Amino acid sequence: EMAEQTYKFFRVEINGNVAEVIFNTPKKLNALSVAWALEMQQIVQKLEADDSIFCILFWAEGKIFTAGLDLNEMLALSTEKLPGSKAAKSLVFWKLLKSFQQPFTTLDECKKPVVVAVHSKCIGGGVDFISACDIRLCTKDASFSVKETQIGMVADLGTIPRMTKIVGKGLYKEMVTIALIWRME
């Protein structure tokens, strides 16, 4: 039974035919990591296969929806200290990026409607996450920002093609190039 399984990053509650998947690491500002993404993928796959579930609803515990990528993990996964050529290091990074992108693709391709309810801040990788959901709802205090460019990272967990379809090319370019904060108020 889905509701009885314990997860590290999420809590899953089944309410009738709706599965609520709750980001459940508020002390870490619901930061996203590779392990977080793989756990999310596992949950989505289980719920998609469960015929009693008609819809998946994501929401978050805590003062913000998500602070985005866990930068400490990203720095720890840096390939700079690995031995070998630049090409070998690039291949390691490419494989890591692919392993991080696939769970977002699984979410995007889920055959059941996926709804996300956002409150407060949705930063960086959180925008990647919500772009893979079918329906995005938010509170009046919600804000969305892609901060990767401010720290020299490329924002791409599949977000670029998804977000340009959702908010348009112009607004997304502003979000990415100047780290525009898009507020709902």
Side-chain angles (χ1 to χ4, degrees), residues 10-108:
F10 298 93
R11 191 174 77 247
V12 178
E13 296 177 1
I14 308 299
N15 294 304
N17 300 108
V18 177
E20 292 185 39
V21 183
I22 302 114
F23 290 28
N24 196 27
T25 54
K27 289 180 182 172
K28 294 186 109 192
L29 301 177
N30 296 314
L32 315 183
S33 63
V34 173
W36 177 95
L38 294 172
E39 188 172 278
M40 179 269 293
Q41 179 180 35
Q42 175 190 16
I43 293 168
V44 169
Q45 288 171 330
K46 283 184 179 184
L47 293 171
E48 186 175 26
D50 185 337
D51 291 337
S52 70
I53 300 300
F54 296 172
C55 177
I56 302 169
L57 169 65
F58 282 94
W59 58 276
E61 295 281 4
K63 63 182 182 176
I64 70 170
F65 182 74
T66 180
L69 295 180
D70 182 336
L71 295 179
N72 290 328
E73 179 188 79
M74 288 295 115
L75 290 172
L77 296 173
S78 171
T79 59
E80 285 181 26
K81 295 176 184 166
L82 292 177
S85 68
K86 190 168 185 156
K89 292 176 186 181
S90 294
L91 182 60
V92 169
F93 180 76
W94 179 81
K95 287 178 179 178
L96 172 68
L97 184 62
K98 284 293 179 193
S99 71
F100 210 170
Q101 286 175 337
Q102 186 53 51
F104 290 82
T105 301
T106 298
L107 179 65
D108 185 37

